[in-house]
Amino acid sequence: MKNETLLTHFGKGLIQNNPVFVQVLGMCPTLAVTTSAVNGLAMGAATTFVLFFSAAIATLVNVIVPSQVRIPVYAVIIATFVTIADLILKAFFPPLSAALGPYVPLIVVNCMILGRIEAFATRNPFLPSLADALGMGAGFTAALMILGAVRELLGAGEIFGAVILGSAYPPMLIMILPPGAFLVLGILMALFNHLQEKDLPILRKAG
Amino acid sequence: MKKMIIVLTTVAIISGTTLAIAYSAFLPLIQHNQQVALERSLGALFEQGESPEFSEIETEGPTIYRARVEGQVIGYAVRVVTTGYGGEIRLLVGIGPNLERITGMEVVEHVETPGLGGKIDEPSFKEQFEGLQPQQDIAYVKGGDTQAKENSIEAISGATISTDAVVSGINKTLDSALPALTDRAGEGEE
């Protein structure tokens, strides 16, 4: 029974409360770095790393932090993990670090992270908080990767750098430019909400 | 009140310590990556079978590296920093030992739009610089005929800003780098 609740906490971030398609949080990285599937995946992974460890620490220190200074305390904790994530990317994945550029340090101000800590991690026990953080991170990563894959496919004819559409397809450059981010996000969001309204059994089970 | 100060201070100290440890742990790897990226770009500038050794030359202007193979100077690499469409572009230009021709151009770092300005890092664009005259300003032409202008390359279509940034950055940097090099150009032939 206990595992099932953890699974529920994990699952709601994926579908029912997806941070991008439902909560519309963290729009800056969502729109800016999803020019390719691999960039979306890397940004999602870095954000999940930060969210997971920040939520873990936040639930533990929650009892000793006076509520007046909780925001600065959480901001410092988040900033610490963001800097570590940035250093890890620079040390082990230099090409990805170059592609994501300034958007890795900007994870600090991703409102999804502070939002989940405020709304969930500080009001719930340790394990459900971790499950929630992982679920939200996974939902965010999946959304960014799908967005990146669609834009890469339409804008460059490739997915994860592998040529899919070939030279017969003239790439729609606009898709990997900023306007393409809005177009694809809008269409995906509409599609996602349409599917959710239909109340498909798969979605209900996962949610 | 007192508790607030204690908690904030403690959190800041722990966070600072953690970052100091993480930074010093990853620093060697990060510097190694930057060095590898720079050396890879430097090596690609010259068509020598053996990989040349590079040493920095002290100038007041741009950073210049002297390339040597077995003591013989085979050319110079000039560092160019310019501003493109998305931000700073860092690149390297290779010049022959007598400053007579450009031997290559390599992009070290850029944040241009993938698929458009990002093409400055593609071989088809970079190879155009080989054989151009460093003494004379480089020009670019849109849509084709590079014979139309002397010492010119073809601009990337849809990315004139990036092309212009690269070309004018190289022109400007060479203007100040060449006088500094002219005095030294003969040194290798001793």
Side-chain angles (χ1 to χ4, degrees):
Chain A
M1 195 65 206
K2 203 188 163 206
N3 284 335
E4 217 179 309
T5 24
L6 284 185
L7 203 65
T8 321
H9 287 307
F10 177 77
K12 73 183 183 318
L14 270 182
I15 311 275
Q16 205 179 43
N17 266 329
N18 187 289
V20 173
F21 294 133
V22 179
Q23 300 186 69
V24 201
L25 288 175
M27 283 298 107
C28 166
T30 302
L31 293 167
V33 303
T34 53
T35 50
S36 68
V38 68
N39 284 0
L41 177 65
M43 175 48 85
T47 311
T48 306
F49 168 87
V50 174
L51 178 58
F52 181 77
F53 285 101
S54 306
I57 303 279
T59 48
L60 293 178
V61 300
N62 182 31
V63 277
I64 57 155
V65 176
S67 68
Q68 300 97 314
V69 292
R70 66 183 199 286
I71 302 280
V73 167
Y74 299 149
V76 170
I77 294 170
I78 294 167
T80 308
F81 286 110
V82 168
T83 315
I84 292 174
D86 191 27
L87 289 172
I88 291 175
L89 278 175
K90 276 192 182 133
F92 298 104
F93 309 98
L96 272 180
S97 169
L100 296 178
Y103 293 102
V104 175
L106 280 176
I107 295 174
V108 176
V109 289
N110 187 325
C111 46
M112 178 185 91
I113 295 176
L114 196 60
R116 283 333 284 172
I117 288 177
E118 273 280 291
F120 199 92
T122 55
R123 289 152 208 251
N124 287 280
F126 188 63
L127 284 179
S129 298
L130 293 190
D132 176 78
L134 275 184
M136 288 293 162
F140 188 70
T141 308
L144 260 62
M145 209 170 68
I146 294 169
L147 194 55
V150 172
R151 290 179 65 191
E152 193 181 352
L153 181 67
L154 297 176
E158 302 173 346
I159 289 184
F160 282 108
V163 179
I164 306 276
L165 293 176
S167 53
Y169 171 78
M172 284 163 76
L173 271 181
I174 193 170
M175 286 306 174
I176 48 174
L177 291 174
F182 287 95
L183 290 172
V184 176
L185 179 66
I187 291 165
L188 284 180
M189 215 179 251
L191 194 68
F192 191 87
N193 284 301
H194 176 68
L195 288 177
Q196 266 213 314
E197 251 170 40
K198 280 197 164 169
D199 203 22
L200 299 175
I202 326 164
L203 299 184
R204 212 183 312 141
K205 212 190 282 169
Chain B
M1 182 67 197
K2 216 166 141 194
K3 199 183 169 201
M4 276 160 51
I5 297 171
I6 294 170
V7 167
L8 255 181
T9 314
T10 316
V11 168
I13 289 171
I14 294 172
S15 149
T17 317
T18 315
L19 283 184
I21 295 168
Y23 182 72
S24 49
F26 291 128
L27 189 63
L29 260 174
I30 294 171
Q31 282 176 336
H32 172 76
N33 289 340
Q34 287 170 340
Q35 193 59 31
V36 166
L38 179 67
E39 271 167 23
R40 197 187 301 133
S41 305
L42 280 172
L45 291 174
F46 303 98
E47 306 163 31
Q48 226 68 18
E50 299 159 80
S51 44
E53 273 175 44
F54 293 94
S55 53
E56 211 176 313
I57 302 176
E58 302 236 332
T59 62
E60 283 169 17
T63 310
I64 303 172
Y65 300 91
R66 184 193 283 119
R68 276 204 186 97
V69 172
E70 287 165 2
Q72 186 89 8
V73 174
I74 60 152
Y76 300 91
V78 182
R79 243 181 146 149
V80 177
V81 180
T82 178
T83 308
Y85 181 75
E88 240 173 35
I89 303 173
R90 293 167 187 277
L91 46 92
L92 289 164
V93 180
I95 308 174
N98 301 315
L99 313 179
E100 75 288 4
R101 66 187 283 267
I102 290 177
T103 60
M105 187 279 271
E106 283 296 321
V107 178
V108 184
E109 221 181 299
H110 77 89
V111 280
E112 302 300 285
T113 317
L116 282 177
K119 286 186 182 157
I120 57 168
D121 203 8
E122 282 181 9
S124 57
F125 180 74
K126 294 189 290 193
E127 279 161 10
Q128 297 189 85
F129 288 87
E130 273 171 44
L132 294 183
Q133 288 285 323
Q135 310 281 359
Q136 180 185 346
D137 269 0
I138 300 167
Y140 60 88
V141 287
K142 290 183 197 172
D145 192 13
T146 49
Q147 305 300 324
K149 273 186 193 170
E150 222 180 310
N151 216 37
S152 67
I153 59 145
E154 190 186 334
I156 299 165
S157 75
T160 315
I161 297 177
S162 307
T163 310
D164 186 70
V166 170
V167 168
S168 62
I170 292 174
N171 286 340
K172 218 161 141 190
T173 311
L174 287 186
D175 276 349
S176 56
L178 289 178
L181 277 175
T182 315
D183 319 329
R184 298 164 193 261
E187 275 175 31
E189 269 86 41
E190 282 165 30

